[in-house]
Amino acid sequence: QDNIHLSDTKKAFYEYNSCLMEPWDGPAMVAFTDGRYIGATLDRNGLRPSRYYVTKDDIVVLSSEVGVFPELKDEDVKIKHRLEPGKMFLVDFETERIVPDNEIKESVAAQYPYGEWVDQATIDLEKWAASSGVQASKMDLTQTNRKLNMFGYTSEKLEMLLLPMSIVGKEALGSMGNDAALAVLSDKPRQVQDYFKQLFAQVTNPPIDPIREEIVMSLVCPVGPEGNLLEEPSMNHCKRLVVRHPVLTLEEMRTLKNQEFKYPDGNTGFSTHVIDTTFPKGSGPDGMLQALERVCDEAADAIQGGFGKKGVEGVILSDKLVGPD
């Protein structure tokens, strides 16, 4: 969506398919053939090399590296080129030509009215919240310190991380190593997110994020039931909620909790069920296990629905009732 050179047809095609599958980051080059066509496609970041030669007697050589065909002389080469990030290389044996990437994708994108389906079926949470007129309730600032303690925020995190982020919009940088024990091994109370770590291929590939690689990545994410990728394309596949950022505003959260999205024909497009995740402090480990089982059962019942009642599309886990007890 950040590529200004894409046609509206291709944009709609990609937006439709983003509701069906995750983006492919690779890194890989995949070759394929069905007898009539032979081709290859590269991951959208171009993290693996792929080059091809076309000789004057119409032999095509494609490989991940230059020099795999040492017998080939430069004077015999008509075209030298590389497979670009996210592009497709295709040879059509019937028409005896190399089909340009743009021609392939424009042809595929024009097979169905993807733009019409996306406009009519996808639900934009930001627009839904704005049109619903829901107002966020005022925060009770007298409870701020108690809640910060309850959720494990230290003065160090507030002063060194959150304060710089709120002032300049960037995460603070430090040169010192973090020698704190892993959350799973620590005997200190830790925040839930401390138990999760980002995993990526620790070779030459940096972590991919929507800031350094904004041309190929964004935080926009479709939420809700996915259709079957192998079914015939239809508008039903893009009946999903589009969330632009993983951190929701208070208005967006209240909209999700208190509203149902209705399509013009009266059918429900998106509804949620709120599940309380708290449990009595004095119930101990057994109380926590009982609460986990209750949350799982309640979530399953809400999604599956009951007799004559349609299940919801989303479940919200809430700690709103958390307190001293």
Side-chain angles (χ1 to χ4, degrees):
Q1 63 268 19
D2 295 325
N3 188 346
I4 61 174
H5 301 295
L6 277 182
S7 67
D8 292 339
T9 307
K10 285 172 70 176
K11 276 187 179 180
F13 171 74
Y14 288 132
E15 193 170 351
Y16 170 86
N17 280 281
S18 71
C19 294
L20 284 173
M21 66 176 75
E22 296 290 331
W24 179 51
D25 290 318
M29 185 271 286
V30 178
F32 56 88
T33 184
D34 66 353
R36 173 183 171 176
Y37 299 101
I38 187 168
T41 186
L42 196 63
D43 65 88
R44 61 180 177 158
N45 296 293
L47 296 176
R48 284 293 175 267
S50 183
R51 303 191 66 84
Y52 66 88
Y53 289 1
V54 180
T55 65
K56 292 178 180 177
D57 54 354
D58 292 331
I59 294 176
V60 178
V61 181
L62 182 141
S63 176
S64 62
E65 303 292 342
V66 175
V68 296
F69 194 5
E71 297 83 5
L72 187 61
K73 299 177 181 178
D74 277 350
E75 56 266 26
D76 296 330
V77 176
K78 180 169 58 176
I79 299 173
K80 286 184 181 181
H81 202 48
R82 68 185 181 96
L83 185 52
E84 299 174 15
K87 297 291 183 72
M88 186 176 289
F89 173 81
L90 189 69
V91 178
D92 185 341
F93 288 123
E94 280 194 8
T95 59
E96 298 182 351
R97 69 189 184 103
I98 296 175
V99 186
D101 173 84
N102 193 57
E103 181 181 329
I104 301 167
K105 292 173 180 174
E106 287 289 356
S107 174
V108 173
Q111 290 179 0
Y112 295 94
Y114 293 112
E116 181 182 324
W117 291 346
V118 167
D119 290 341
Q120 293 180 6
T122 55
I123 306 164
D124 189 309
L125 178 57
E126 187 177 293
K127 294 179 181 178
W128 178 18
S131 63
S132 66
V134 171
Q135 298 294 321
S137 56
K138 291 185 178 180
M139 297 183 67
D140 184 2
L141 298 180
T142 61
Q143 300 295 316
T144 300
N145 286 337
R146 183 178 68 83
K147 289 185 176 180
L148 287 173
N149 288 329
M150 188 180 303
F151 290 104
Y153 283 93
T154 63
S155 57
E156 182 183 51
K157 285 189 176 180
L158 291 173
E159 294 172 4
M160 298 183 65
L161 293 178
L162 294 181
L163 187 61
M165 288 172 67
S166 63
I167 294 176
V168 297
K170 293 182 179 180
E171 188 173 354
L173 297 176
S175 60
M176 298 297 290
N178 180 10
D179 59 355
L182 294 174
V184 71
L185 300 176
S186 175
D187 57 0
K188 304 291 184 184
R190 301 287 288 271
Q191 292 175 280
V192 173
Q193 60 264 32
D194 286 348
Y195 289 85
F196 300 91
K197 297 293 183 181
Q198 182 184 23
L199 293 180
F200 59 94
Q202 296 184 16
V203 282
T204 57
N205 306 331
I208 296 174
D209 62 59
I211 299 174
R212 287 172 289 189
E213 286 83 24
E214 63 179 344
I215 191 64
V216 292
M217 182 185 178
S218 79
L219 293 174
V220 177
C221 180
V223 177
E226 290 186 10
N228 186 345
L229 179 64
L230 302 179
E231 287 182 358
E232 187 75 13
S234 71
M235 186 167 64
N236 291 329
H237 288 306
C238 49
K239 288 184 175 180
R240 305 189 70 192
L241 180 73
V242 176
V243 180
R244 297 185 179 276
H245 197 278
V247 180
L248 305 184
T249 65
L250 295 176
E251 290 81 6
E252 289 171 345
M253 180 56 76
R254 290 199 70 181
T255 299
L256 283 175
K257 291 171 66 175
N258 304 322
Q259 304 281 323
E260 282 190 353
F261 184 88
K262 296 284 187 180
Y263 286 113
D265 60 6
N267 289 325
T268 300
F270 202 90
S271 60
T272 62
H273 175 72
V274 181
I275 299 177
D276 174 34
T277 59
T278 62
F279 60 94
K281 177 182 176 183
S283 61
D286 290 339
M288 184 184 72
L289 291 175
Q290 291 173 7
L292 286 172
E293 291 178 358
R294 173 184 59 79
V295 168
C296 292
D297 292 341
E298 192 173 341
D301 291 341
I303 292 172
Q304 293 169 2
F307 293 105
K309 183 180 179 182
K310 179 176 175 285
V312 299
E313 286 72 30
V315 169
I316 297 173
L317 303 180
S318 173
D319 58 7
K320 193 90 172 176
L321 299 179
V322 71
D325 301 323

